[in-house]
Amino acid sequence: MSAITAARSPRARRLAPWVVAAALALSGCSTPAAADDGVYRIGLITSQTGPGSQLGIGELRGAELAVEQINADGGVNGATLELITADDQSNPSQAVLQARKMLGRVDAFVGPSTSGPCKAIAPLAESAKVIDYCLSPGLKPEPGGWQWSASVATHDLTSRLVDYWKSEGITRVGLLTQTDSSGAEGAESTKAAIDEIDGMELAGEATFSPDAVSVTAQLQQIAKHKPQALVVWATGAGAGVAFKGMGQVGLDIPVATTDGNLTYAFVDRVKHFLPDPLLIPATRDFWDPAEYPNDEVRELEANYHDAYVSAHGEQPDFGPGVAYDGVYLVAEALERAGGDSAEARTELERIKDFDGVVGTYNFSVEDHRGLTEKDVAIVQATEDGFEFIGGVE
């Protein structure tokens, strides 16, 4: 294993430099990008402004923390790891503009924050043969392509949620989603999860535009079907509009929402009309430490959380974790590939049993996500943050 893995697992050892050189010579790989100036560069494109900023600001912090730790542990094959950062303003066209500026300067991309900008830069990553580790779980990466998707697939998130509600005696679930790509994915996945679990029933559904200022009509339509709980698959301001509308129409039932709302900024924004309870399917970085699979993961999580709190004075939420893991995974692939950015794709596809803070990654040519439903449990959003509820296998 590499030095990067070694920083996260005491059993791992660094590959000797001559081993890396020999492997490159035998494989015919190109000269490592860091050979000229001793620096590997990752292009980090996140939403520092716009609707996606509730994720992007934390993602930048998580990525910076990972780079700091990797460099403190010796870098990538002894070379320094550097971030080149850009704000896509939560806009696909801006993401393309920033990615174009970085092409030829970076060894890989991490980001953007949301699925729309990720889809927009996919052709650039493909044509340049450069890894793009998209930070949105809403992306569906093509097998053998150049894009990866962070966190857990939407279907696995909704499946865990519906299964949890079934265990709590809730069988009639309403569905309210935005009309954007993320909302459509949430609607499709929630309905599939309901169909797959015996005894569950869809009890009314409706959609609304991301720029809607009221959804009371849609909520009244759903209420006629007498749901016992409601899924609101919308992020940021849209979800807030839905929660406020529930109070206006007197729909007082348990609510669940996307993990894109696992941020303190979001909770603060909706605290005056926070549903009780508001459940969110969440990855391992939000679990009770007693639920972690082993002591190595417990140590990894503790180190990550402590370092983040020390740097920023608050606990990390969804954004920092996916970006932190993304940087570590890309750096690991670059190290294994001896810095050859094209060969790094193959090396990333070969990564197995890689413990990150979000979950344990197992990639393949067919699977550019690496996480499954086993990496999901349920938390409750409160005015004070996020409380672990359960649902671990």
Side-chain angles (χ1 to χ4, degrees):
M1 291 186 181
S2 68
I4 293 170
T5 307
R8 305 158 76 78
S9 173
R11 296 175 297 179
R13 295 183 299 168
R14 174 186 287 273
L15 288 175
W18 68 266
V19 174
V20 174
L24 286 171
L26 289 171
S27 65
C29 292
S30 59
T31 303
D36 292 339
D37 60 0
V39 179
Y40 289 95
R41 294 180 175 86
I42 292 177
L44 180 74
I45 303 174
T46 52
S47 299
Q48 296 302 299
T49 55
S53 62
Q54 73 174 30
L55 298 170
I57 292 172
E59 288 165 350
L60 175 60
R61 291 176 174 182
E64 289 174 337
L65 176 59
V67 168
E68 178 184 334
Q69 292 181 346
I70 289 169
N71 285 333
D73 198 57
V76 180
N77 288 332
T80 300
L81 185 63
E82 179 183 302
L83 287 179
I84 297 178
T85 64
D87 175 17
D88 67 10
Q89 302 171 29
S90 307
N91 186 306
S93 62
Q94 277 296 317
V96 171
L97 176 64
Q98 298 302 332
R100 286 189 183 279
K101 290 180 180 179
M102 293 180 183
L103 284 176
R105 301 171 58 206
V106 300
D107 301 287
F109 290 110
V110 170
S113 302
T114 56
S115 59
C118 283
K119 292 175 183 176
I121 74 166
L124 293 178
E126 190 77 26
S127 62
K129 299 190 184 308
V130 173
I131 289 169
D132 173 40
Y133 190 90
C134 169
L135 295 174
S136 169
L139 191 73
K140 292 182 177 180
E142 290 292 331
W146 290 88
Q147 273 196 318
W148 268 250
S149 184
S151 194
V152 179
T154 304
H155 176 269
D156 289 331
L157 296 172
T158 57
S159 180
R160 175 67 79 210
L161 172 65
V162 173
D163 187 63
Y164 174 78
W165 266 339
K166 176 69 180 299
S167 72
E168 295 293 303
I170 292 174
T171 58
R172 295 177 53 79
V173 178
L175 178 61
L176 179 65
T177 58
Q178 284 184 332
T179 53
D180 56 13
S181 59
S182 176
E185 173 75 9
E188 178 185 348
S189 298
T190 301
K191 287 187 281 189
I194 289 171
D195 287 342
E196 291 166 3
I197 299 176
D198 290 341
M200 299 301 293
E201 180 182 352
L202 181 65
E205 63 175 306
T207 62
F208 66 100
S209 170
D211 59 0
V213 296
S214 173
V215 294
T216 55
Q218 291 93 326
L219 287 165
Q220 287 169 341
Q221 176 186 334
I222 293 172
K224 292 177 182 178
H225 297 270
K226 302 187 183 306
Q228 296 171 291
L230 178 67
V231 173
V232 176
W233 210 264
T235 55
V241 169
F243 298 162
K244 186 174 183 180
M246 290 183 69
Q248 292 170 336
V249 302
L251 190 58
D252 185 17
I253 56 177
V255 179
T257 190
T258 166
D259 59 346
N261 291 324
L262 272 170
T263 70
Y264 295 107
F266 172 77
V267 172
D268 185 64
R269 183 182 301 164
V270 302
K271 63 184 178 183
H272 297 301
F273 33 88
L274 190 70
D276 183 21
L278 174 62
L279 303 182
I280 306 180
T283 46
R284 196 162 64 196
D285 41 335
F286 289 88
W287 296 5
D288 185 321
E291 302 294 341
Y292 296 153
N294 54 55
D295 288 340
E296 289 180 2
V297 170
R298 251 182 291 279
E299 181 180 0
L300 170 65
E301 294 283 355
N303 289 340
Y304 160 71
H305 283 85
D306 290 348
Y308 191 92
V309 171
S310 177
H312 301 292
E314 61 185 23
Q315 287 288 339
D317 48 30
F318 178 79
V322 292
Y324 179 89
D325 280 0
V327 168
Y328 260 104
L329 287 160
V330 169
E332 174 77 6
L334 286 168
E335 176 154 308
R336 293 187 185 190
D340 186 300
S341 57
E343 183 64 21
R345 178 185 68 168
T346 301
E347 293 300 335
L348 190 51
E349 289 174 338
R350 290 173 176 167
I351 287 178
K352 308 290 183 187
D353 299 321
F354 187 100
D355 286 327
V357 299
V358 173
T360 298
Y361 296 85
N362 289 279
F363 295 125
S364 68
V365 174
E366 294 77 22
D367 184 0
H368 280 198
R369 183 181 303 278
L371 301 177
T372 66
E373 189 176 336
K374 67 178 176 58
D375 298 293
V376 184
I378 306 299
V379 301
Q380 178 177 343
T382 71
E383 289 188 14
D384 297 322
F386 303 101
E387 177 186 351
F388 179 81
I389 299 297
V392 178
E393 287 185 352

